[in-house]
Amino acid sequence: CYGTLYRYVSLPSTLLCPRKINLNIDSKSRELNALTDLLRRSILRVLDNRLEVLRQDPSLLETEVDLLNLMIKGKCEGKELPEALDQMDKDRIVDHMIIFFVAGVETTASALTCLFFNLSQYPEILHKIHAEIKDVFGEAFKKNRSNFITRQGLDKMEYTERALKENLRLQPPVPRLQGKLAKQDVTIGDLHIKKGTLLAVDAWLVHNHRKLWDKPEEFNPDREEWKDGNQDLKW
């Protein structure tokens, strides 16, 4: 369901409309609406199952800490349990869960998949990352194999951070940013935009444009743009 949905939308925001969406974009609109409804029902079923468990044992809301329980706890704050569980706005929680699921899980998974692929094509870069991990965390790993990664250590991994940025440039998980309708006629440079025109930013094109990047098709963490905290607007 989710995989099919993601092929038809350029941004997860299409799925975040509460309860009901009406899309009349093309011949795929009915299928997209049906899949969106299926996704909402699936998440609602997970929420209903959790609420039933909490009705039987409200103490689990305190002892079992996860994202869904935290959201339920926030809705029940200041109210008596288990009565508050029957009065909460479940649709609002479903809306938030879809945001976390689509905008958080899928984008992270896509970015990591592309990163591993790029590293497989550039073994010399992979070796540099291995060396940096060993240099930063090697001694800590020998002392405590279960808890050796720290925020301070991650801040020292400059080359790995550049590789992550280069990966997001080359293959952005969200290739096109949400469209906006022009409320009035406007001219930007030599481009005249009429009122009612749908505008969208093509992130993939900006990240791979030859006028902006040197050899944009190459995976190169050593680009000047990633060094010394460079915050060039083209990124």
Side-chain angles (χ1 to χ4, degrees):
C1 165
Y2 177 69
T4 307
L5 267 171
Y6 207 75
R7 291 200 300 270
Y8 294 138
V9 293
S10 60
L11 261 191
S13 57
T14 309
L15 306 179
L16 307 186
C17 306
R19 285 43 128 198
K20 184 69 176 176
I21 62 175
N22 292 302
L23 299 175
N24 295 306
I25 300 172
D26 52 30
S27 61
K28 295 294 184 179
S29 62
R30 284 195 299 272
E31 184 178 2
L32 177 57
N33 276 317
L35 290 168
T36 302
D37 288 340
L38 176 58
L39 179 61
R40 293 194 63 86
R41 291 198 306 272
S42 299
I43 294 178
L44 180 60
R45 185 164 59 250
V46 172
L47 175 59
D48 284 337
N49 290 340
R50 176 63 59 85
L51 291 176
E52 182 59 33
V53 171
L54 293 175
R55 289 188 187 98
Q56 298 176 15
D57 186 359
S59 67
L60 293 176
L61 197 59
E62 299 293 338
T63 59
E64 300 293 331
V65 180
D66 59 26
L67 180 60
L68 184 54
N69 268 7
L70 289 174
M71 295 175 69
I72 295 173
K73 184 179 179 180
K75 289 293 183 180
C76 294
E77 191 170 4
K79 301 176 182 178
E80 292 293 330
L81 294 176
E83 290 78 7
L85 299 175
D86 298 321
Q87 302 170 2
M88 71 169 55
D89 183 356
K90 292 193 292 186
D91 284 317
R92 180 66 65 181
I93 292 182
V94 171
D95 292 340
H96 290 315
M97 290 304 298
I98 291 177
I99 291 175
F100 283 112
F101 181 72
V102 179
V105 176
E106 173 62 25
T107 51
T108 301
S110 296
L112 290 175
T113 299
C114 291
L115 176 64
F116 296 147
F117 171 78
N118 288 326
L119 292 177
S120 73
Q121 303 303 300
Y122 295 83
E124 69 281 4
I125 296 175
L126 178 60
H127 292 156
K128 289 183 180 180
I129 292 178
H130 278 170
E132 186 173 61
I133 293 174
K134 185 176 180 180
D135 180 59
V136 174
F137 294 115
E139 290 301 320
F141 177 72
K142 293 178 182 178
K143 296 177 182 178
N144 186 351
R145 295 196 173 192
S146 62
N147 189 25
F148 63 93
I149 297 178
T150 64
R151 175 74 254 182
Q152 294 77 10
L154 292 175
D155 289 339
K156 296 177 181 179
M157 300 185 67
E158 297 179 1
Y159 187 80
T160 301
E161 181 178 355
R162 296 205 303 268
L164 289 169
K165 288 182 177 181
E166 175 69 353
N167 179 69
L168 293 174
R169 177 201 67 80
L170 187 61
Q171 293 153 325
V174 181
R176 185 160 68 92
L177 305 185
Q178 185 174 13
K180 300 289 185 180
L181 283 176
K183 293 184 177 181
Q184 60 187 33
D185 291 355
V186 62
T187 299
I188 303 176
D190 297 329
L191 180 63
H192 180 67
I193 301 171
K194 293 184 178 181
K195 178 181 178 180
T197 301
L198 179 63
L199 306 172
V201 176
D202 191 327
W204 187 92
L205 181 61
V206 173
H207 290 184
N208 289 270
H209 202 295
R210 292 186 179 278
K211 291 185 177 180
L212 300 175
W213 304 90
D214 180 36
K215 298 179 180 178
E217 71 282 357
E218 293 186 4
F219 181 65
N220 180 15
D222 291 314
R223 295 181 185 275
E224 291 298 323
E225 287 82 0
W226 309 143
K227 296 181 180 180
D228 301 323
N230 192 331
Q231 296 295 325
D232 196 299
L233 286 178
K234 65 187 177 185
W235 163 249

